[in-house]
Amino acid sequence: DRAWRYQTCTEVYQPMPTNGITDFEVPYQPNKTQYFQHCQRKWGVMPRPNWEEMYFMGQDISAGSNIFLTNGELDPWRAAGIQSLPKGSPNSIIIRTIEHGAHHFDLRPSHPQDPPSVKKVRKEQKTHIQSWIEEWRQRYSDDEL
């Protein structure tokens, strides 16, 4: 929880106004000035509201490589996630939607009751990550360093 609170004061600034009518939250309007002051007092940092978009290029991730993105079918954050590859993206960017999956379902520890959909994605993630590591090892072997 502390790590996430710090991260929301640095890289993941996400003010989330609520109204209690179209959502299930208590009405709340974030105050940017107060929030920034809180981050400065608590952590000695200032939020960077556009950092994610600038650093990760928003929806245009085609310049990246070796990325495995997942979205849970039942995850309310899915709407803000990247759902398909932009034109011209390399094959090493993989996007999967996990059937019956929730937020970060594939990143949680395995459980005997995990549905086949999350087990399949975890296996695919492992396979791709292992291949990316092997590609790196072959490209940057000790002989070349």
Side-chain angles (χ1 to χ4, degrees):
D1 188 48
R2 280 179 51 95
W4 174 248
R5 291 184 186 279
Y6 175 79
Q7 195 171 15
T8 61
C9 277
T10 56
E11 304 167 339
V12 189
Y13 174 69
Q14 297 179 343
M16 297 182 197
T18 57
N19 62 23
I21 298 167
T22 60
D23 52 54
F24 55 87
E25 303 287 334
V26 174
Y28 169 73
Q29 285 299 316
N31 180 312
K32 186 175 181 178
T33 303
Q34 287 178 347
Y35 189 83
F36 278 47
Q37 289 171 349
H38 161 78
C39 293
Q40 183 64 48
R41 269 192 323 275
K42 177 78 175 169
W43 306 105
V45 298
M46 294 297 280
R48 297 175 285 174
N50 300 316
W51 182 84
E52 286 180 289
E53 289 79 12
M54 291 182 341
Y55 190 77
F56 292 117
M57 301 161 283
Q59 293 288 322
D60 183 11
I61 62 167
S62 60
S65 64
N66 300 353
I67 302 170
F68 200 114
L69 299 172
T70 57
N71 294 288
E73 181 183 47
L74 307 177
D75 184 357
W77 289 101
R78 185 178 91 174
I82 297 171
Q83 302 295 312
S84 60
L85 280 177
K87 198 173 194 176
S89 296
N91 293 338
S92 67
I93 299 178
I94 295 101
I95 299 173
R96 297 291 183 264
T97 299
I98 303 171
E99 184 180 8
H100 307 298
H103 188 65
H104 290 173
F105 196 7
D106 55 316
L107 304 178
R108 296 179 182 155
S110 62
H111 187 276
Q113 294 179 341
D114 284 342
S117 58
V118 76
K119 291 177 184 179
K120 178 181 175 187
V121 165
R122 285 183 183 139
K123 184 177 180 180
E124 190 177 0
Q125 289 168 333
K126 183 177 179 180
T127 299
H128 281 285
I129 292 169
Q130 287 174 330
S131 74
W132 297 334
I133 291 169
E134 185 55 34
E135 285 174 21
W136 184 89
R137 284 183 177 146
Q138 288 177 10
R139 186 174 297 150
Y140 302 104
S141 68
D142 288 341
D143 297 50
E144 295 178 13
L145 294 178

